[in-house]
């Protein structure tokens, strides 16, 4: 089938139905009538000789063929969009645009304040939306353009996801001021004798520091498992329990508590934090500008 015989608008409709799971929501997203969306879907079904979407209740469920072609179609649409947008240079001083960034909540407090200070100085009409995106969804979200960049530790992502290291962080131990066994320093024997807090979004399983301890045949006693470092820091301030956490966030989260922040008592390498983006926006002026702001704000 030659490309000249294909209405490229059909692929925009296909991607919208796939993403929204509904003809109604696809019509709202594209600002088209439902009959127009249904007509386009009929042409797509004829072109591919496949139903592509099957109604189950109120949802349109994709067929195996639809699932096999969605990624290349999304990449092609995104590349075309980047090409068209590239005709007009991105001017941060006058352009109204929203950038979507994925990062975990522990990184929000360290990344967003300096980033927004950087952005607001040169781009008053630019908005930023930060959200938690499951790591297994990062590739598809960036491929279809619903996500501009992501910030996380080193991840095993496919080659079409590009990345660069933006900073290194260290592991520290947090203990309350006046702790009976800890005063500015801590050795490994004292560390292991303490009652520990583990902050994790997972219900079970060890923390990264536990993997490091296990390499030396060591194990600590975790007395409290909670979801957020901030809550854990408050518990530390009112008990003799200790917390192990990233150093950058430790300095922010403990400002109001006055807890001690002490280097981790084992020689462990610092961990890297990376900025990720899709290869199809590598040369997009807007995305490139935003990546530059992220990098500059984390130095």
């Amino acid at each position: 089938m030659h490309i000249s015989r294909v209405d490229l608008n059909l692929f925009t409709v296909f991607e919208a139905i796939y993403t929204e799971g509904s003809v109604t929501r696809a019509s709202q997203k594209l600002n088209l009538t439902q009959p127009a969306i249904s007509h386009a879907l009929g042409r797509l079904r004829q072109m591919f000789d496949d139903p592509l979407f099957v109604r189950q209740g109120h949802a349109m469920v994709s067929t195996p063929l639809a699932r096999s072609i969605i990624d290349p179609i999304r990449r092609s649409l995104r590349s075309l969009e980047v090409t068209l947008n590239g005709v007009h240079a991105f001017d941060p001083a006058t352009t109204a645009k929203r950038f979507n960034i994925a990062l975990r909540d522990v990184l929000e407090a360290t990344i967003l304040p300096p980033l927004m200070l950087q952005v607001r100085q040169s781009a008053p009409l630019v908005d930023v939306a930060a959200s938690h995106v499951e790591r297994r969804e990062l590739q598809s979200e960036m491929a279809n353009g619903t996500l501009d960049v992501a910030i996380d530790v080193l991840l095993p992502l496919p080659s079409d996801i590009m990345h660069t290291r933006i900073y290194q962080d260290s592991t520290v131990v947090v203990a309350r001021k006046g702790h009976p066994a800890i005063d500015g320093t801590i050795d490994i024997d004292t560390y292991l004798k303490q009652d520990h807090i583990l902050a994790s979004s997972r219900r079970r399983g060890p923390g990264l520091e536990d993997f490091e301890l296990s390499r030396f045949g060591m194990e600590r006693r975790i007395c409290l498992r909670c979801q957020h470092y901030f809550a854990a820091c408050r518990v530390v301030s009112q008990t003799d329990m200790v917390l192990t956490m990233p150093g950058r966030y430790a300095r922010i989260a403990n400002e109001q508590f006055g807890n001690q922040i002490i280097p981790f008592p084992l020689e462990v390498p610092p961990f890297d934090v990376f900025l990720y983006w899709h290869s199809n926006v590598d040369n997009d002026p807007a995305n490139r500008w935003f990546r530059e702001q992220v990098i500059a704000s984390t130095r």
Side-chain angles (χ1 to χ4, degrees):
M1 184 181 299
H2 195 273
I3 189 68
S4 63
R5 300 177 58 188
V6 178
D7 182 355
L8 297 182
N9 289 314
L10 296 178
F11 296 111
T12 302
V13 172
F14 172 81
E15 195 275 336
I17 298 175
Y18 193 100
T19 300
E20 301 298 329
S22 163
V23 169
T24 300
R25 289 194 295 271
S27 69
Q28 294 169 347
K29 178 180 181 179
L30 298 177
N31 197 27
L32 296 172
T33 65
Q34 288 191 45
I37 295 293
S38 297
H39 177 70
L41 178 56
R43 293 175 62 191
L44 283 163
R45 285 168 167 166
Q46 184 177 18
M47 183 169 62
F48 286 103
D49 192 24
D50 187 89
L52 298 177
F53 302 98
V54 179
R55 184 174 296 280
Q56 291 186 5
H58 296 292
M60 298 290 284
V61 178
S62 56
T63 66
L65 176 62
R67 291 193 292 273
S68 71
I69 63 175
I70 183 60
D71 284 342
I73 286 177
R74 279 174 168 167
R75 286 194 296 269
S76 298
L77 290 173
R78 186 62 174 161
S79 296
L80 181 59
E81 182 182 20
V82 168
T83 299
L84 295 174
N85 289 337
V87 173
H88 305 287
F90 173 74
D91 182 2
T94 59
T95 303
K97 185 171 177 59
R98 172 174 173 169
F99 291 97
N100 295 294
I101 178 172
L103 70 169
R104 302 177 109 59
D105 58 353
V106 66
L107 293 174
E108 281 195 336
T110 58
I111 297 291
L112 294 182
L115 172 61
M116 293 312 298
L117 178 62
Q118 182 90 10
V119 167
R120 301 308 291 173
Q121 289 175 347
S122 59
L125 301 180
V126 164
D127 299 330
V128 176
S131 61
H132 173 85
V133 177
E134 293 295 333
R135 285 167 172 162
R136 63 178 179 273
E137 303 294 335
L138 287 177
Q139 193 270 343
S140 61
E141 291 260 10
M142 284 190 276
N144 65 31
T146 57
L147 187 63
D148 295 296
V149 300
I151 299 176
D152 210 326
V153 296
L154 186 61
L155 301 173
L157 292 170
S159 59
D160 58 353
I161 301 300
M162 309 182 75
H163 66 276
T164 186
R165 188 180 71 183
I166 54 177
Y167 70 84
Q168 285 187 324
D169 205 352
S170 59
T171 301
V172 300
V173 179
V174 180
R176 74 172 177 87
K177 186 177 180 179
H179 192 289
I182 304 170
D183 185 15
T185 61
I186 187 172
D187 58 37
I188 190 61
D189 291 333
T190 303
Y191 178 84
L192 294 175
K193 290 177 182 177
Q194 306 309 306
D195 293 333
H196 292 262
I197 304 171
L198 172 61
S200 174
S201 59
R202 296 178 292 116
R203 291 185 177 183
R204 57 183 63 86
L208 292 177
E209 55 270 31
D210 295 297
F211 286 111
E212 293 295 334
L213 290 170
S214 67
R215 290 175 53 234
F216 296 91
M218 301 174 183
E219 187 177 0
R220 61 180 181 160
R221 180 169 183 262
I222 297 173
C223 298
L224 171 64
R225 190 182 188 104
C226 64
Q227 299 178 77
H228 300 289
Y229 282 117
F230 181 81
C233 290
R234 188 172 185 187
V235 174
V236 165
S237 71
Q238 299 179 20
T239 69
D240 288 336
M241 303 177 74
V242 300
L243 169 68
T244 307
M245 66 182 296
R248 281 201 179 196
Y249 187 46
R251 291 186 285 275
I252 295 171
N254 287 283
E255 285 179 347
Q256 63 179 287
F257 300 123
N259 292 325
Q260 303 178 65
I261 301 174
I262 309 158
F264 191 66
L266 285 179
E267 287 288 337
V268 297
F271 59 90
D272 299 320
V273 177
F274 291 84
L275 173 66
Y276 296 89
W277 67 97
H278 200 278
S279 58
N280 62 20
V281 294
D282 187 46
N283 293 319
D284 174 51
N287 192 282
R288 184 171 60 245
W289 174 86
F290 187 64
R291 298 195 309 265
E292 292 170 352
Q293 307 313 300
V294 173
I295 293 170
S297 66
T298 55
R299 295 306 187 213

